[in-house]
Amino acid sequence: MAAEPTEKLMSGGGGLAAVEHLVVLMLENRSFDHMLGFLYTDQGNVSPAGQAYEGLTGEETNPDQNGKPVTVRRIQSTDPHPYFMPGANPGEGYQATNSQLFGTPTPPTPPVAGMQGFVTDFAAVLDQPPRPNHTVLPGTVPADIMSCFTPDTLPVLSALARGYAVCDHWYSSVPTETLPNRAFSCAATSQGHLDDNTRSFTCPSVFGRLTTAGVTWRAYGYSAAPMVSGNFPDIHGASLDHFGVFTAFRAAAAAGTLPSFTFLEPSWGPTGNSEHPIDDVALGEQLILDVYRALRGGPAWDRTLFVLTYDEHGGCYDHVPPPTGSAPPGDGTVGEFGFDFRRFGVRVPTVLVSPLIAPGTVYRSPDPAAQLDHTSILRTVERRWSLPALTARDAAAADIGAALTLTVPRTDDVLAGVTAPPPAAVNPSAGNVSHLQQVYADLVARQLIPTALTH
């Protein structure tokens, strides 16, 4: 590694001032209710700290193609294929999301979301002719989109959510698919794009801002260079010591040499650990556990904030309408489909992990006018290291510093004795090529991703 530049510390800042390492793991395409809706249902949707939690009651419904209500159901470990639910890849993208929220591909005016189109949109997906690289498990029916995990089926994610802070009002930045939301998480804009056809952008990113400020950062792929290395011009030219693979991340955590900001990616294949439907969610549980163990076992744990989130809901069910009133980026770009970027995407699971966070926390924005979305990560980085905002969106976002309420780091281990569910013996998607593998291959072919790595 090259010599680390001198860090620029933020003045003041309360709990954030104690954070020297911010680590982000962004997984794929799962909604809040689908993963964490049942977290506190059996406790009346109140956390152990006495805070209200907007989870599921178990009575929520969506109409099927005949108007018959389909009730939300719990995924049980004894189900035929629990970790491959909902059994097929749901509808993705701007128009599919509109269908799920409004019941029509074109949003009404005003855009009031009834959240009643998930079953019918999934039915439309299942009615399509078989497509290459799109596995549909035998027996999958439209009602399966109403299946949601429980704390028992997701022991790692649920224990972290209960043991630290869960954000029950964290929204994807845009009501669409993966790459626009990942662009917002790193650059606070997708430059008007609302689908995955655009794979690289021309705007500044948080990585360039950190470099200019002399603040250290690295991005890690799981077993190859991270996809984000090909997404923005100010990261394309970064030296190779800014990139690594997961084994290098674990070594840096163990040695106490993690940079100020770390961005982690999963493996993108259909047999990988990204948790994209219908990948094996058990493998994602293991990845989350491995990240936590690496951080907690390192000498910098007391000064670390780990943010676990998902880029978008991926067509999975959620009952909370996304709010309007989001700040457009204001970067002069025009949204595709006539979208004005004034409403957020669907809720996604987000958990904040740090020994400076009290157990049982349900964290929401302290400012009712500022929502939590992916640009809240950027706002937190900007506050912590005194960086200028990238766009009007992150300038208006809430940060997460107020979740760090403790002055003495906790010493308990909330995952003591917790193990990830075992992966399936047979993966039904083995041999397929995932959409994000195709995106990755395109970026490599355009020589935007470095093929050599510092391990």
Side-chain angles (χ1 to χ4, degrees):
M1 277 288 298
E4 303 282 9
T6 301
E7 301 291 331
K8 192 168 145 186
L9 297 181
M10 135 185 208
S11 57
L16 267 184
V19 173
E20 295 181 11
H21 307 279
L22 198 158
V23 178
V24 176
L25 171 62
M26 180 171 278
L27 297 177
E28 279 287 298
N29 289 47
R30 301 281 175 168
S31 71
F32 186 86
D33 277 343
H34 178 66
M35 300 295 277
L36 290 172
F38 283 120
L39 184 71
Y40 288 129
T41 302
D42 295 343
Q43 291 78 44
N45 281 322
V46 177
S47 82
Q51 297 168 327
Y53 180 75
E54 192 145 16
L56 294 166
T57 65
E59 302 299 321
E60 292 81 5
T61 65
N62 249 218
D64 67 10
Q65 312 91 293
N66 300 313
K68 181 180 178 181
V70 177
T71 305
V72 69
R73 67 169 287 270
R74 301 174 187 237
I75 297 172
Q76 307 289 348
S77 60
T78 53
D79 289 349
H81 39 69
Y83 296 104
F84 295 104
M85 292 301 290
N89 186 21
E92 295 182 50
Y94 178 72
Q95 293 179 307
T97 299
N98 285 337
S99 294
Q100 294 150 14
L101 304 189
F102 308 111
T104 172
T106 303
T109 302
V112 178
M115 311 301 284
Q116 293 292 297
F118 287 90
V119 175
T120 52
D121 189 70
F122 195 45
V125 169
L126 296 178
D127 283 343
Q128 294 176 3
R131 293 175 292 163
N133 299 314
H134 285 77
T135 299
V136 177
L137 292 178
T140 299
V141 295
D144 287 334
I145 201 65
M146 300 298 287
S147 302
C148 298
F149 288 98
T150 68
D152 289 338
T153 48
L154 295 183
V156 177
L157 178 64
S158 300
L160 290 177
R162 288 171 164 173
Y164 295 101
V166 59
C167 301
D168 64 345
H169 281 267
W170 185 294
Y171 300 90
S172 53
S173 294
V174 247
T176 189
E177 55 192 333
T178 288
L179 294 182
N181 275 294
R182 285 185 171 265
F184 265 85
S185 74
C186 294
T189 182
S190 65
Q191 296 190 291
H193 298 294
L194 287 171
D195 57 36
D196 284 355
N197 292 329
T198 299
R199 286 89 186 267
S200 60
F201 303 86
T202 59
C203 55
S205 75
V206 66
F207 305 105
R209 284 282 197 269
L210 290 166
T211 298
T212 299
V215 181
T216 54
W217 63 268
R218 291 191 197 102
Y220 294 91
Y222 191 74
S223 57
M227 183 170 65
V228 74
S229 63
N231 292 146
F232 305 98
D234 56 10
I235 195 174
H236 294 162
S239 59
L240 286 180
D241 59 0
H242 285 93
F243 307 111
V245 294
F246 193 70
T247 53
F249 161 75
R250 295 174 92 162
T257 58
L258 284 176
S260 298
F261 180 68
T262 297
F263 190 82
L264 297 172
E265 293 180 359
S267 54
W268 300 118
T271 58
N273 52 21
S274 76
E275 297 193 352
H276 190 295
I278 60 170
D279 298 359
D280 190 345
V281 172
L283 293 173
E285 282 276 280
Q286 186 63 56
L287 174 59
I288 297 167
L289 179 61
D290 289 344
V291 173
Y292 171 82
R293 286 273 169 246
L295 295 174
R296 192 181 183 281
W301 170 239
D302 287 354
R303 305 180 301 282
T304 297
L305 171 59
F306 170 34
V307 180
L308 167 63
T309 190
Y310 291 70
D311 54 16
E312 49 118 345
H313 78 296
C316 297
Y317 173 70
D318 195 77
H319 80 282
V320 174
T324 56
S326 56
D331 56 354
T333 56
V334 178
E336 296 169 342
F337 302 101
F339 185 63
D340 60 6
F341 293 93
R342 294 186 183 275
R343 58 184 172 91
F344 292 98
V346 178
R347 285 195 308 174
V348 290
T350 302
V351 176
L352 312 178
V353 178
S354 170
L356 299 173
I357 295 176
T361 297
V362 178
Y363 185 72
R364 300 175 182 174
S365 169
D367 180 0
Q371 297 290 341
L372 293 169
D373 79 314
H374 295 329
T375 65
S376 295
I377 297 170
L378 299 175
R379 195 73 195 123
T380 303
V381 171
E382 290 156 5
R383 282 200 62 225
R384 175 60 184 85
W385 286 286
S386 301
L387 306 179
L390 287 152
T391 74
R393 170 63 70 86
D394 55 320
D399 69 79
I400 55 179
L404 302 159
T405 58
L406 304 181
T407 55
V408 177
R410 294 163 51 186
T411 59
D412 59 316
D413 181 358
V414 304
L415 292 187
V418 176
T419 58
V426 177
N427 189 310
S429 296
N432 288 353
V433 178
S434 75
H435 167 58
L436 288 179
Q437 281 182 308
Q438 294 170 334
V439 170
Y440 192 95
D442 174 63
L443 293 171
V444 169
R446 293 158 58 193
Q447 298 183 332
L448 296 177
I449 291 181
T451 54
L453 278 177
T454 301
H455 292 268

